[in-house]
Amino acid sequence: MLRALVLLFALTLAVPAHAEGFLTRLLNKPVPGGVAVIDLGSAASAPSVRYEGKPVLVLREDGKRWIAVVGIPLSVKPGEQTLDVGGQATVFRVSPRTYREQRITLKNQRQVDPNPEDLKRIERELAEQNQAYRQFSPRQPSNLLFDKPVEGPLSSPFGLRRFFNGQERNPHSGLDFAVPAGTPIKTPAAGKVILTGDYFFNGRTVFVDHGQGLISMFCHLSKVEVQVGDELERGAVLGQVGSTGRATGPHLHWNVSLNDSRVDPAIFIGAYKP
């Protein structure tokens, strides 16, 4: 009897007071360009959370505890970061991550060194897209384990340091799929179309708001098949793969943004590699 009680006590100590839920295991990759999942406790209502002054996605995990799902910008240095949780500071730690380099040769030198008219257009388009990324709707995302928007091999991963014709430019802010032109693109989670356009760098583009600052952007499309305001079910076709904008060939570039921070989409499809 005594041995049984000792064994039971040992097993109790081995079980954590709060075992990680599925979403925490899937999403918690606290690195620059990653996601931090922060336990907020089991209050009756959702806490208000902000990071770098911007609202953060908050939801219940396993129907019990509230969690904050925080997008971490690529520019963040490893070390301690602070969340504002209902006016109180909560600290979490960002671990280092090293990203590879990618060197690309473009025939069109204007896509490397835009002329003054191009720069005016780029500035205008960037402001329009940044406004879309900053939207924060109250809807709950339908799912956080995303479907792949297309089936095909991953080509350029997130976070690559990119050199175009030998000149360094912004890191790769999304995930590329090498698939043929005309391949249907499906939304990985339900959402609302909040922006479409034909942009200098991105080509034909669609932004979908999945809820609470979780935004998908799809670009280089050959054809856009949705309009601003459309409500899309998970798996709905929004367009076709192409090579418009700054692209060397047909592929899908997919961005995921959380609290206006571009993060690694591979996290959301279970394909993250440290």
Side-chain angles (χ1 to χ4, degrees):
M1 181 67 179
L2 180 60
R3 285 187 61 190
L5 288 173
V6 170
L7 179 60
L8 179 61
F9 180 67
L11 289 173
T12 301
L13 291 178
V15 177
H18 168 50
E20 287 187 346
F22 169 75
L23 290 178
T24 298
R25 294 193 301 273
L26 173 72
L27 300 176
N28 191 40
K29 317 294 180 193
V31 297
V35 175
V37 179
I38 311 298
D39 183 355
L40 301 176
S42 53
S45 59
S48 173
V49 180
R50 301 183 78 85
Y51 175 56
E52 296 189 333
K54 298 172 182 176
V56 167
L57 169 61
V58 174
L59 57 114
R60 279 199 188 275
E61 183 169 40
D62 299 334
K64 299 174 183 177
R65 304 177 71 84
W66 296 103
I67 55 173
V69 183
V70 186
I72 306 169
L74 262 172
S75 58
V76 163
K77 302 297 183 186
E80 289 189 350
Q81 293 288 305
T82 303
L83 283 184
D84 180 327
V85 181
Q88 301 295 317
T90 296
V91 174
F92 67 97
R93 178 165 289 277
V94 175
S95 300
R97 184 185 181 188
T98 302
Y99 293 97
R100 295 188 290 110
E101 293 184 2
Q102 180 185 45
R103 296 181 181 271
I104 299 170
T105 301
L106 296 174
K107 294 180 180 178
N108 184 352
Q109 188 64 28
R110 277 178 61 190
Q111 293 181 332
V112 182
D113 296 306
N115 64 35
E117 285 302 311
D118 293 335
L119 290 172
K120 290 180 183 178
R121 176 186 172 187
I122 290 164
E123 184 177 356
R124 183 175 65 252
E125 292 176 351
L126 182 61
E128 185 174 271
Q129 293 174 77
N130 283 340
Q131 184 177 9
Y133 280 127
R134 293 181 186 126
Q135 293 198 28
F136 191 90
S137 62
R139 75 164 75 209
Q140 284 278 334
S142 65
N143 51 287
L144 289 176
L145 175 57
F146 281 177
D147 301 327
K148 292 180 181 179
V150 294
E151 286 299 332
L154 303 180
S155 48
S156 297
F158 174 87
L160 288 171
R161 290 181 59 203
R162 296 185 304 172
F163 296 80
F164 290 96
N165 296 1
Q167 300 182 43
E168 186 168 12
R169 293 295 185 262
N170 290 333
H172 194 230
S173 60
L175 196 61
D176 286 356
F177 293 83
V179 290
T183 301
I185 302 165
K186 299 178 180 180
T187 184
K192 182 178 180 179
V193 179
I194 56 172
L195 181 65
T196 65
D198 191 352
Y199 300 118
F200 184 86
F201 287 130
N202 291 351
R204 295 191 181 99
T205 298
V206 175
F207 280 73
V208 176
D209 175 11
H210 303 296
Q212 292 200 50
L214 180 59
I215 310 285
S216 279
M217 187 273 283
F218 311 86
C219 66
H220 306 307
L221 278 60
S222 60
K223 185 178 181 182
V224 172
E225 299 182 15
V226 293
Q227 297 179 340
V228 172
D230 285 353
E231 290 283 352
L232 305 180
E233 295 182 356
R234 179 179 182 177
V237 173
L238 56 86
Q240 298 176 17
V241 170
S243 56
T244 56
R246 186 167 68 183
T248 56
H251 70 283
L252 173 65
H253 174 96
W254 173 38
N255 271 18
V256 172
S257 185
L258 258 177
N259 46 269
D260 193 26
S261 300
R262 261 51 85 204
V263 297
D264 190 347
I267 294 170
F268 294 83
I269 57 173
Y272 176 81
K273 295 179 179 179

